[in-house]
Amino acid sequence: MSLPLYHPSSHAMIPPTESQYASYLKRAESSRTKIPARLSFEEIIRNSTHSPCSLDDFIDYLVYVERSAENLQFFLWYCSYVGRWSQLPEKEKEPSPAWRISKRPDPQSPLRSARLGEGTDKLDRILKIMARGLMTTTTTTPSSPQQNTPNTDRDSRASGIGTNFSRPRTPAPLSVVKEGDRDEWRWQPFSAQPFRDEVTQVVRHYISGSGPRSLNLTDQDRTACMHALQHTTHPTAFLPAFLAADTVLRGHSHPNFIRRNICNSNRPRIMFARALGVFLIGLALILDVILILSKLNRLVRLSALPLWYVGLYILLIGGRGISISLYMNRKRQLRPWEGPDADAVRTHSGAKMDRAELHNPTKYPEDDNKRNTKGRSSPKKESLQAFGPTNDFERETWVRSYEEKPYWQKVFDVSVVNRNRHLRALQDRVVLKALLWASFLVVVLTVGSVLIPSADLY
């Protein structure tokens, strides 16, 4: 069972080419000037934005619309992994050295070589900064000798994301190992490297082509990751996969997510508005033709101006997915997966709200400086967990209920208050452009209608 509105995008089937990656990078740079800073990719990842642009809304969009949620799931896991890796003692990092990627340009894929080289340098700088900050914290904070001793049980509990992963057993002291066997002993990947069990599960989930959340990687990137992860668990081993997911998220998914959220109505309501706009334009055209064929004064043809203006305005603004009535009331329609129940809907925090509260914007302060962002970093939504089943929604209950819902109920579906003022600013821009274009076209059509000579047929 599939919905006509929510289908896989083309890039989710075929791995992007180097030219597509380049276009994604250019689009990500151009989006920095077009998208408000409060709706940037970084702000959404921090979950510091209001619905419908929160992190939960982003993962819902990737699950139900683009069908590429594995990119964000792997991205969030990798960011957490880099943070946990930087907190490891240096002795535990030694069995897993950084995986060095050749910076020499590849004649067959120079763009990929440049992208990997820049990513490696950036990751090295991040790890150095985090390690320097950790050293500063440990040197300035007084602690007892017992606190300085690493507690492997405590660290293993803190390092899991949805699943508990235990670190490998502490290896024997170097004094016990013979001098000639030290180098060989240090390169036992499955017994001495940190986070080996977790890395193995990530490979099965995301890197392997048959995994439940397999990333849409090229054969070259997939092979490079598999080869690197056979030798080390250092974050640089995941770099080709991370850069691929990061590029698609920043240059493709995030701009499309913001553009889709500008739409405040669903497809049935948009189609209804477009039909209404075409109907009004048709009435204006018929009225103009009748007046042109008559003997009446040419200025009488100005009576078709309101029909021209309203019809064009509805058609232009409907082309961007905005309903005028919802826009004027600062509302938006609920997505089908957000809550089929009309009396209560789920918010991004998982709690339920009454419809009266949702329709009252005064209960939700929009001052970004007063927002409480504590506790938002830990993902609560099941689809945000690093490990889980395939991102498939075909068997969810709302799919059948939404398809069986009558068309007119979809047109006038439940609406809630849009509390994101930055998104409303983008909507204001779209509405203003539609208003100016409608005014320009109405002036052209009206002047052209008045200048046409009368046929004097009746």
Short mmCIF file of all heavy atoms in Angstrom, two decimals, residues 260-290:
data_model
loop_
_atom_site.label_atom_id
_atom_site.label_comp_id
_atom_site.label_asym_id
_atom_site.label_seq_id
_atom_site.Cartn_x
_atom_site.Cartn_y
_atom_site.Cartn_z
N ARG A 260 9.08 22.46 1.86
CA ARG A 260 7.82 21.76 2.06
C ARG A 260 7.05 22.30 3.26
O ARG A 260 5.82 22.33 3.24
CB ARG A 260 8.08 20.26 2.23
CG ARG A 260 6.81 19.43 2.27
CD ARG A 260 7.11 17.95 2.38
NE ARG A 260 5.90 17.14 2.35
CZ ARG A 260 5.28 16.76 1.25
NH1 ARG A 260 5.76 17.09 0.06
NH2 ARG A 260 4.17 16.03 1.31
N ASN A 261 7.75 22.72 4.29
CA ASN A 261 7.08 23.25 5.47
C ASN A 261 6.49 24.64 5.23
O ASN A 261 5.65 25.09 6.01
CB ASN A 261 8.04 23.31 6.66
CG ASN A 261 8.17 21.97 7.35
OD1 ASN A 261 7.24 21.17 7.36
ND2 ASN A 261 9.33 21.70 7.91
N ILE A 262 6.94 25.31 4.18
CA ILE A 262 6.30 26.57 3.82
C ILE A 262 4.84 26.32 3.44
O ILE A 262 3.97 27.16 3.68
CB ILE A 262 7.07 27.25 2.68
CG1 ILE A 262 8.46 27.69 3.17
CG2 ILE A 262 6.31 28.46 2.14
CD1 ILE A 262 9.32 28.30 2.09
N CYS A 263 4.59 25.15 2.86
CA CYS A 263 3.21 24.78 2.54
C CYS A 263 2.44 24.55 3.85
O CYS A 263 2.88 23.78 4.70
CB CYS A 263 3.18 23.51 1.70
SG CYS A 263 4.18 23.56 0.20
N ASN A 264 1.32 25.21 3.99
CA ASN A 264 0.53 25.07 5.21
C ASN A 264 -0.71 24.20 5.03
O ASN A 264 -1.53 24.10 5.93
CB ASN A 264 0.12 26.44 5.74
CG ASN A 264 -0.75 27.21 4.75
OD1 ASN A 264 -1.09 26.70 3.69
ND2 ASN A 264 -1.08 28.44 5.11
N SER A 265 -0.86 23.58 3.86
CA SER A 265 -2.03 22.76 3.59
C SER A 265 -1.62 21.49 2.87
O SER A 265 -0.53 21.40 2.30
CB SER A 265 -3.06 23.54 2.76
OG SER A 265 -2.46 24.07 1.59
N ASN A 266 -2.52 20.50 2.89
CA ASN A 266 -2.23 19.24 2.24
C ASN A 266 -2.59 19.31 0.75
O ASN A 266 -3.14 20.30 0.26
CB ASN A 266 -2.98 18.10 2.93
CG ASN A 266 -4.48 18.35 3.01
OD1 ASN A 266 -5.04 19.11 2.23
ND2 ASN A 266 -5.14 17.71 3.96
N ARG A 267 -2.29 18.24 0.05
CA ARG A 267 -2.50 18.23 -1.40
C ARG A 267 -3.97 18.36 -1.80
O ARG A 267 -4.29 19.11 -2.74
CB ARG A 267 -1.89 16.96 -2.00
CG ARG A 267 -1.93 16.94 -3.52
CD ARG A 267 -1.22 15.71 -4.06
NE ARG A 267 -1.26 15.67 -5.50
CZ ARG A 267 -0.41 16.29 -6.29
NH1 ARG A 267 0.56 17.03 -5.76
NH2 ARG A 267 -0.51 16.20 -7.60
N PRO A 268 -4.91 17.67 -1.15
CA PRO A 268 -6.32 17.88 -1.54
C PRO A 268 -6.77 19.33 -1.41
O PRO A 268 -7.49 19.83 -2.30
CB PRO A 268 -7.08 16.96 -0.56
CG PRO A 268 -6.12 15.89 -0.23
CD PRO A 268 -4.78 16.58 -0.18
N ARG A 269 -6.33 20.01 -0.37
CA ARG A 269 -6.74 21.41 -0.21
C ARG A 269 -6.07 22.28 -1.27
O ARG A 269 -6.67 23.23 -1.78
CB ARG A 269 -6.38 21.89 1.19
CG ARG A 269 -7.01 23.23 1.55
CD ARG A 269 -6.62 23.66 2.95
NE ARG A 269 -7.30 24.86 3.37
CZ ARG A 269 -8.24 24.93 4.28
NH1 ARG A 269 -8.66 23.82 4.88
NH2 ARG A 269 -8.80 26.07 4.62
N ILE A 270 -4.82 21.96 -1.61
CA ILE A 270 -4.13 22.71 -2.65
C ILE A 270 -4.84 22.54 -4.00
O ILE A 270 -5.05 23.51 -4.74
CB ILE A 270 -2.66 22.26 -2.75
CG1 ILE A 270 -1.91 22.65 -1.48
CG2 ILE A 270 -1.99 22.88 -3.97
CD1 ILE A 270 -0.51 22.09 -1.41
N MET A 271 -5.20 21.30 -4.32
CA MET A 271 -5.90 21.05 -5.58
C MET A 271 -7.25 21.74 -5.61
O MET A 271 -7.68 22.26 -6.66
CB MET A 271 -6.08 19.54 -5.77
CG MET A 271 -4.77 18.76 -5.87
SD MET A 271 -3.66 19.39 -7.16
CE MET A 271 -4.64 19.06 -8.62
N PHE A 272 -7.94 21.77 -4.48
CA PHE A 272 -9.21 22.49 -4.41
C PHE A 272 -9.01 23.98 -4.64
O PHE A 272 -9.79 24.63 -5.36
CB PHE A 272 -9.86 22.24 -3.04
CG PHE A 272 -11.12 23.01 -2.81
CD1 PHE A 272 -12.31 22.62 -3.41
CD2 PHE A 272 -11.12 24.14 -2.00
CE1 PHE A 272 -13.48 23.34 -3.20
CE2 PHE A 272 -12.28 24.86 -1.78
CZ PHE A 272 -13.46 24.46 -2.39
N ALA A 273 -7.97 24.56 -4.04
CA ALA A 273 -7.69 25.98 -4.23
C ALA A 273 -7.32 26.29 -5.68
O ALA A 273 -7.75 27.31 -6.25
CB ALA A 273 -6.57 26.42 -3.29
N ARG A 274 -6.52 25.42 -6.28
CA ARG A 274 -6.17 25.63 -7.68
C ARG A 274 -7.39 25.56 -8.58
O ARG A 274 -7.53 26.36 -9.53
CB ARG A 274 -5.13 24.59 -8.11
CG ARG A 274 -3.77 24.78 -7.48
CD ARG A 274 -2.81 23.69 -7.92
NE ARG A 274 -1.50 23.85 -7.32
CZ ARG A 274 -0.49 23.00 -7.51
NH1 ARG A 274 -0.66 21.92 -8.28
NH2 ARG A 274 0.68 23.21 -6.92
N ALA A 275 -8.27 24.61 -8.31
CA ALA A 275 -9.50 24.51 -9.11
C ALA A 275 -10.35 25.76 -8.95
O ALA A 275 -10.94 26.26 -9.93
CB ALA A 275 -10.28 23.27 -8.70
N LEU A 276 -10.41 26.30 -7.73
CA LEU A 276 -11.16 27.53 -7.51
C LEU A 276 -10.54 28.69 -8.26
O LEU A 276 -11.24 29.53 -8.86
CB LEU A 276 -11.21 27.83 -6.00
CG LEU A 276 -11.95 29.11 -5.59
CD1 LEU A 276 -13.40 29.05 -6.02
CD2 LEU A 276 -11.84 29.32 -4.08
N GLY A 277 -9.20 28.79 -8.25
CA GLY A 277 -8.53 29.85 -8.99
C GLY A 277 -8.76 29.76 -10.48
O GLY A 277 -9.03 30.78 -11.15
N VAL A 278 -8.69 28.55 -11.04
CA VAL A 278 -8.96 28.37 -12.47
C VAL A 278 -10.40 28.73 -12.81
O VAL A 278 -10.68 29.34 -13.85
CB VAL A 278 -8.63 26.92 -12.88
CG1 VAL A 278 -9.08 26.64 -14.31
CG2 VAL A 278 -7.14 26.64 -12.75
N PHE A 279 -11.33 28.38 -11.91
CA PHE A 279 -12.74 28.71 -12.13
C PHE A 279 -12.94 30.22 -12.17
O PHE A 279 -13.65 30.75 -13.06
CB PHE A 279 -13.58 28.08 -11.03
CG PHE A 279 -15.02 28.43 -11.09
CD1 PHE A 279 -15.86 27.88 -12.06
CD2 PHE A 279 -15.58 29.32 -10.18
CE1 PHE A 279 -17.21 28.23 -12.12
CE2 PHE A 279 -16.91 29.67 -10.23
CZ PHE A 279 -17.74 29.11 -11.20
N LEU A 280 -12.34 30.96 -11.25
CA LEU A 280 -12.50 32.41 -11.24
C LEU A 280 -11.84 33.04 -12.46
O LEU A 280 -12.39 34.00 -13.03
CB LEU A 280 -11.89 32.98 -9.95
CG LEU A 280 -12.60 32.60 -8.64
CD1 LEU A 280 -11.85 33.16 -7.45
CD2 LEU A 280 -14.04 33.11 -8.66
N ILE A 281 -10.69 32.54 -12.86
CA ILE A 281 -10.05 33.06 -14.07
C ILE A 281 -10.91 32.78 -15.30
O ILE A 281 -11.04 33.63 -16.20
CB ILE A 281 -8.65 32.44 -14.23
CG1 ILE A 281 -7.72 32.94 -13.11
CG2 ILE A 281 -8.05 32.79 -15.59
CD1 ILE A 281 -6.36 32.29 -13.11
N GLY A 282 -11.54 31.61 -15.34
CA GLY A 282 -12.44 31.29 -16.45
C GLY A 282 -13.64 32.23 -16.48
O GLY A 282 -14.05 32.69 -17.56
N LEU A 283 -14.21 32.53 -15.29
CA LEU A 283 -15.31 33.49 -15.25
C LEU A 283 -14.88 34.86 -15.73
O LEU A 283 -15.62 35.55 -16.48
CB LEU A 283 -15.85 33.58 -13.82
CG LEU A 283 -16.71 32.42 -13.31
CD1 LEU A 283 -17.17 32.71 -11.88
CD2 LEU A 283 -17.91 32.19 -14.21
N ALA A 284 -13.68 35.30 -15.32
CA ALA A 284 -13.19 36.60 -15.77
C ALA A 284 -13.00 36.63 -17.28
O ALA A 284 -13.32 37.62 -17.95
CB ALA A 284 -11.88 36.92 -15.06
N LEU A 285 -12.49 35.54 -17.84
CA LEU A 285 -12.28 35.48 -19.28
C LEU A 285 -13.61 35.51 -20.03
O LEU A 285 -13.75 36.23 -21.04
CB LEU A 285 -11.51 34.21 -19.62
CG LEU A 285 -11.18 34.00 -21.10
CD1 LEU A 285 -10.30 35.14 -21.62
CD2 LEU A 285 -10.49 32.66 -21.31
N ILE A 286 -14.60 34.77 -19.54
CA ILE A 286 -15.91 34.75 -20.19
C ILE A 286 -16.56 36.12 -20.12
O ILE A 286 -17.13 36.62 -21.11
CB ILE A 286 -16.80 33.68 -19.54
CG1 ILE A 286 -16.25 32.29 -19.83
CG2 ILE A 286 -18.24 33.80 -20.05
CD1 ILE A 286 -16.99 31.18 -19.09
N LEU A 287 -16.46 36.75 -18.94
CA LEU A 287 -17.03 38.10 -18.79
C LEU A 287 -16.34 39.09 -19.72
O LEU A 287 -17.01 39.95 -20.34
CB LEU A 287 -16.92 38.53 -17.33
CG LEU A 287 -17.47 39.93 -17.00
CD1 LEU A 287 -18.96 40.01 -17.32
CD2 LEU A 287 -17.22 40.25 -15.53
N ASP A 288 -15.05 39.00 -19.85
CA ASP A 288 -14.31 39.90 -20.74
C ASP A 288 -14.72 39.70 -22.19
O ASP A 288 -14.91 40.68 -22.94
CB ASP A 288 -12.80 39.66 -20.59
CG ASP A 288 -12.11 40.84 -19.92
OD1 ASP A 288 -12.75 41.89 -19.77
OD2 ASP A 288 -10.93 40.71 -19.54
N VAL A 289 -14.87 38.47 -22.60
CA VAL A 289 -15.26 38.19 -23.98
C VAL A 289 -16.66 38.73 -24.27
O VAL A 289 -16.92 39.33 -25.33
CB VAL A 289 -15.19 36.67 -24.25
CG1 VAL A 289 -15.79 36.35 -25.61
CG2 VAL A 289 -13.75 36.19 -24.19
N ILE A 290 -17.57 38.55 -23.30
CA ILE A 290 -18.93 39.06 -23.49
C ILE A 290 -18.94 40.57 -23.62
O ILE A 290 -19.63 41.15 -24.49
CB ILE A 290 -19.82 38.60 -22.33
CG1 ILE A 290 -20.01 37.07 -22.37
CG2 ILE A 290 -21.17 39.29 -22.37
CD1 ILE A 290 -20.75 36.52 -21.18
#
